Structure formats: C-alpha cells, structure tokens
Amino acid sequence: MTRRLLQGSEAVAEAAIASGCRFFSGYPMLPFTELLESMAKKLPAAGGVCISAESEIEAVNMALGAAATGARAATGSCGQGLALMQEAIAESALNELPLVVFNMARGQQDYFQATRGGGWGDYRTITLAPKDVPEAVAHTQLLFDLADRHRTPALLYGDYVIAHTSVGIEVAPLAFPPLPEKDWALDGTMSGTGRARQIWTWARGKPNTPGPGPNLAWQAIADKYAEIERTEARCEAEGTDDAEVVVVSFGTTAVFVDRVVEELRAEGVRIGSFRPVTLWPFPGAALAEATEGCRLVLVYELNAGQMVDDVRIHAADRSAVRSIGGVSQDASGMRQGDLLAADELRQRVRRALADGPAARSAR
Amino acid sequence: MLFTGVGGQGVQIAARTLATAAMDEGRHVMLVPRYGGGMRGGMTNAEVTVGDRPLRALPVATDCWSAYAMDPSYWSTVRPHLRPGAVVVVNASLVDVEVGVEGATVFSVEAGAIADGLGAPMAAGFVLLGAYASLTGLVGVETLVGAMRQLVPPYRTQHLEANERALRAGAAAVTPLAAPAWAAGDLERAGR
C-alpha cells in the first residue's frame, strides 16, 4: 500500500471500515459532515449500511439498534449533536452494547461532555482524543476493539482540524487480541421459541429466565467501569522526568504544546508535556508521577476550564495547577480561534513562568 | 501557501489539486481547509504545506511563503500569516485591494478574464492555479493536470477538458519560475 492524500474524515472512515464497522448513521453537521459523506461513499461497497438520518437522536438510536444485533456500529456528530445523543449513549452503557461515537467537535473543547456525559446511571464512556490524523486512524480501530471488549460506548474526540486536515497517509489495519463471542446479540428469534434474547436496561429478564435485576446489573456495570479505569488509561509524557513545569493538554492542542515545550527546553527551561490520550479513563496515576516536584502544572485547553478539574484532582500538588487556556472561537463559530497558535501559547507559558507559583489563577 | 476566495470559486479544489500534485511528485504535504457553515459566497480558505521530508508543520500555518487570492473579501484573514517578501498571486479580474505585505512580490493574473476567453468562466480558479504553478515551479503543470483529473468527480467529467485548458492557459500567461519555490537541483530531482 502507498500513501494517499486523505482528509482526516476520509481516513477515519476507512479505518472504521477496516475495523469491521458495517453500520453507520448520522445527521450532517460541520465538521462531522465529511465523515458521514465518506461513510456513505465507502460503506456500501464493503457490504455495510450508511444512513443519513433525520436527526441526531434518530441516528444514535439506529446505531444502538444495529449494535444490539452484534454488528460493529457507529454514529457521530459535533458537540451540539452529541448533546442530543446523550440518552442513547447512556442506554448503550447500561445495556452493555458496544457503540462507537465520533465527536468531530467544533472550536470548543468540551471535555466535560466527553468524560461526564449527560445521561443517567453509573456509566462512563471510554474516550480517545487523537492529536492528529494518523493517530485518529489508529484510535478509530482501537475504539472498535475497546467497545467490543468492554461492551461499552466509546468516543473519539476529534475536531475541525482532524476532520478536515488532509495528509499523505496509509490506512493500515491494526491487529488486536481475540474478542469474546457476542452471545448476547439479538438474532431475530421471536418470543415463544424459548430462545429469544432480551436486552433491557432494568435487566429483569423474561418470566421463564429471570435476569439479575437492576441492582445487581448496575453494580456489575459500575464494577466493570472501575476495572476499565484501572486498565485502559493511556497517556503520553515528554520531558517530565526533570521538569519543574508541565503543560497538560489533549487532542489537537497537544501538537502546539509539544512544539512550544520543545523550543523552551532548547532554551534551557525545565519544562515537559503531558497528554491524556484517553480522556476517560483519565491517566491520573501517571499525571501524579509526571508532576512530582513540579512548581507549575499548566493546563492548556480551548474552553473556560474543564479538564483542569481532573488535573487538580490528580496532580502531585494541586496548588501548582494553573489554567492557561480559554474560550477560543473563530468568526464562524465552527473552528478554533486565535488561541490555537504556537505564538499565543508560548506567551501564555512565559507569562505563567514569570508569575511564578505564588500567583494564582482566577479559578 | 495560503489560498483565499469565496465559496463557489473552486478554491478548495484548487488547493487540493496543488496538494495532490505535490504528493504525486513525491513530496510530503498537508492541506488544511478553512470554511464556515455557508457554501456559496462565504469565506473559503486553505493552507497547503509542502516539503521534501516528513512535515513537522503545525496545522495552523503562520509565516507563510506565498498566497493565492481569487477574491479580496477575506484577504484580511490571510495577510497576517504571510512573511515579509511573500509571493502573492492574485486574480486581477477581482482583486483590487492593497496586498499590504512588506516586500511582497505580487503577480497579477487576469484569471477571470482568461477563463471567460476560454468560454469556461467557472474554471478561473484553475487559471490562477496554473499561473501559480508556473511562476513558482512548486509542481509541474503536467502533474497538476493529472491531479485535477483524479479529483474531479465522475459526475463532473464534462468539465475536465475546460479545466485542463484553464490550467495550461494560466501557466502560459506568466513567466515560468519568476518566483521559484525550490532550488534548481530540487526541480531536476523531481524530473522536470
């Protein structure tokens, strides 16, 4: 295979299909639209189905239904559409259905929406936040594996830059360990046959084969998420061994952090970078280790301060944590604004270094 | 390089054609389009980064070497990201604003008028792209034609011939390599 010039959305679509995704539904919304278009172009040829739904609510519930039959199914939108999908994402968690959701977010980095969600119940969503298109291709394949392995909704946190950037890339299928049989999948067997299966949030089962009921089922799901939290956290740390200052960021912003940290290290500043690759589970233990002995932990995110909460929870010294990001929208409201720039970030880091640890941020 | 224009002028396909051609010549490329929710008449910009090694460029270009301007409406969003002495190729048929970049070398090409003369007013963006490629030698005109042919979708093949004439007419309207993008040796290695 050779490199081809692929837009991020197109590359993610090919990665999803290479992962065995055979059902995709969505409602067009910039910058998610190109992923839906790519799936519509490519999925039928792979024997799959792509449906342009009438709303995000319809799209996510179609994908949920497809997942219940054991198909690898996915949907997506931007943050505004994900807001509408929250109920079905929570149902996917409580029904233990693997569902992959692509969030091609606009300019706002909504960490809370990705990691807390707005559904009910003790549920979580595994969330991978790639920093660029090649990583988005790898993460897409990993998400389908994690969703099946843990029978849970799993999110890709992409954005305008990842969805739209074209690079020369080869979409190579990744190998994963074998997965358990989907012996829970609905296969169309009707009631009255004695073999019909049921997927139900309350898990009460059928009259002749009672289920565990909500208390035991929901505790088991909570235990499963506790186990995922222990085993699936992923992160990337650079130069943190000797660092006095660590900059924490996720997704596209991390590419800018890496550049600025590299420049400042070359100037002799003892600075490092830390990037949660999984937003949930948050790599808290690794962050505690990476920030050990740091006088400053700077959080750069394009919002008014969301991930900074998790950084405060896990940093070795929470009083060292400072937010240096902010709301940053371009005029269209569709993509990141002026803060997504190495110059602006460098100035903010320098200002924080000059202020020193005694100065506290407003938050 | 930075591309700017308004939706409907073919700025996105022009940028993609250039990026595809550069890749076809063995370069490493990154293309970042920028547009909002509107399609016709709204801002449509793009950034193309080309290198002969794997790119380290950030996906927000600053300090850019050159610009391609089909329309002046959103020039103000491009101008601050050009370095002093930038090479600016403008569609003289529409662009009448001051470029406003210190020491810029400006090439004015009557892209709209040339496309009209070819009976293909919709191909003005390709006229300007042909001129850009010829002026800079960033990619060869033949590779550009090949890239355009790859990118035009099957339901638009009736435009292939006009697009090709537009690319060639743009290239013919300017002095080749008046603002070379590569050192002479690079061009020989690319087989041109």
Side-chain angles (χ1 to χ4, degrees):
Chain A
M1 234 194 238
T2 50
R3 287 185 305 130
R4 288 173 298 147
L5 183 69
L6 292 182
Q7 195 188 45
S9 298
E10 211 180 346
V12 165
E14 291 196 7
I17 293 168
S19 305
C21 177
R22 291 295 177 266
F23 184 90
F24 193 84
S25 50
Y27 182 81
M29 209 165 170
L30 191 140
F32 161 73
T33 306
E34 287 82 356
L35 178 56
L36 178 58
E37 285 176 347
S38 296
M39 291 302 266
K41 278 182 198 147
K42 296 169 196 282
L43 198 46
V49 174
C50 177
I51 298 181
S52 185
E54 289 175 345
S55 74
E56 287 82 358
I57 295 173
E58 191 180 86
V60 69
N61 283 291
M62 283 177 172
L64 188 62
T69 70
R72 280 198 159 172
T75 183
S77 188
C78 55
Q80 288 71 13
L82 251 76
L84 294 170
M85 295 182 173
Q86 293 301 317
E87 184 193 31
I89 292 171
E91 288 294 326
S92 153
L94 297 174
N95 286 308
E96 296 197 86
L97 290 176
L99 173 66
V100 171
V101 181
F102 294 94
N103 180 10
M104 294 302 186
R106 293 181 172 176
Q108 170 81 2
Q109 277 198 308
D110 272 331
Y111 178 89
F112 284 159
Q113 188 188 48
T115 60
R116 270 55 169 178
W120 64 271
D122 283 309
Y123 82 101
R124 309 305 300 241
T125 48
I126 295 176
T127 302
L128 289 165
K131 65 177 178 182
D132 56 20
V133 173
E135 204 175 75
V137 165
H139 281 181
T140 296
Q141 300 181 59
L142 178 56
L143 275 176
F144 280 99
D145 178 77
L146 291 172
D148 272 353
R149 198 167 296 285
H150 300 294
R151 294 178 58 186
T152 177
L155 260 70
L156 184 91
Y157 188 94
D159 64 7
Y160 187 106
V161 174
I162 286 172
H164 285 172
T165 299
S166 294
V167 292
I169 192 171
E170 180 185 334
V171 178
L174 302 175
F176 295 97
L179 288 163
E181 278 288 301
K182 290 185 173 178
D183 54 6
W184 45 264
L186 306 185
D187 59 4
T189 306
M190 304 295 287
S191 61
T193 61
R195 291 180 291 107
R197 291 173 183 157
Q198 185 187 61
I199 292 173
W200 186 23
T201 314
W202 268 258
R204 287 199 193 105
K206 301 189 292 180
N208 57 349
T209 47
N215 190 48
L216 289 177
W218 299 352
Q219 184 60 55
I221 290 169
D223 292 346
K224 177 178 78 178
Y225 283 117
E227 178 63 16
I228 295 171
E229 198 162 15
R230 275 191 292 277
T231 57
E232 297 292 1
R234 291 166 165 82
C235 66
E236 198 177 79
E238 203 59 51
T240 52
D241 288 353
D242 66 341
E244 295 178 331
V245 181
V246 168
V247 186
V248 188
S249 64
F250 70 94
T252 295
T253 49
V255 179
F256 293 77
V257 168
D258 288 349
R259 175 64 54 87
V260 168
V261 163
E262 188 184 310
E263 288 169 5
L264 292 172
R265 279 188 79 82
E267 288 175 21
V269 180
R270 285 168 59 190
I271 188 167
S273 60
F274 184 90
R275 174 170 72 102
V277 171
T278 45
L279 302 188
W280 194 87
F282 188 81
L287 179 71
E289 196 181 322
T291 57
E292 189 64 51
C294 284
R295 66 182 176 95
L296 277 174
V297 178
L298 305 176
V299 184
Y300 174 57
E301 51 183 337
L302 302 186
N303 55 45
Q306 297 189 15
M307 182 178 67
V308 67
D309 285 6
D310 280 344
V311 176
R312 284 209 176 92
I313 289 170
H314 297 285
D317 172 10
R318 72 188 300 272
S319 73
V321 178
R322 196 84 44 80
S323 186
I324 58 165
V327 173
S328 184
Q329 300 289 315
D330 84 338
S332 72
M334 303 290 162
R335 72 185 303 280
Q336 297 93 333
D338 295 341
L339 237 168
L340 191 70
D343 287 347
E344 179 65 30
L345 173 61
R346 196 183 302 107
Q347 280 175 31
R348 287 177 180 236
V349 172
R350 283 195 197 285
R351 210 176 307 142
L353 292 172
D355 285 351
R360 298 298 306 274
S361 59
R363 277 177 63 89
Chain B
M1 63 240 43
L2 302 175
F3 285 70
T4 186
V6 292
Q9 288 185 311
V11 169
Q12 294 304 328
I13 197 166
R16 196 159 190 87
T17 301
L18 184 69
T20 303
M23 196 158 131
D24 287 349
E25 291 192 356
R27 312 285 185 188
H28 292 267
V29 302
M30 178 163 66
L31 163 65
V32 187
R34 290 165 181 260
Y35 46 81
M39 290 188 72
R40 299 283 176 268
M43 182 189 86
T44 180
N45 290 359
E47 306 171 0
V48 178
T49 309
V50 178
D52 44 17
R53 276 170 292 175
L55 303 179
R56 292 190 69 241
L58 296 170
V60 176
T62 52
D63 199 30
C64 295
W65 177 73
S66 72
Y68 159 112
M70 272 299 287
D71 183 279
S73 303
Y74 299 94
W75 179 249
S76 63
T77 65
V78 163
R79 191 183 46 75
H81 302 298
L82 289 168
R83 67 175 71 155
V87 174
V88 181
V89 184
V90 303
N91 173 19
S93 308
L94 286 175
V95 179
D96 54 0
V97 295
E98 277 294 306
V99 165
V101 177
E102 189 193 328
T105 310
V106 181
F107 296 95
S108 292
V109 181
E110 289 287 352
I114 292 171
D116 285 349
L118 296 171
M122 280 163 60
F126 282 125
V127 172
L128 196 65
L129 185 64
Y132 180 92
S134 179
L135 286 164
T136 62
L138 189 83
V139 295
V141 175
E142 295 307 322
T143 327
L144 209 53
V145 169
M148 179 277 293
R149 287 187 169 272
Q150 292 171 48
L151 292 174
V152 169
Y155 53 89
R156 292 264 189 269
T157 48
Q158 70 272 28
H159 299 302
L160 286 174
E161 200 227 338
N163 290 346
E164 180 171 341
R165 277 189 287 134
L167 287 168
R168 295 191 190 283
V174 297
T175 309
L177 296 177
W182 309 100
D186 289 329
L187 292 172
E188 281 159 28
R189 276 196 293 282
R192 312 191 250 117

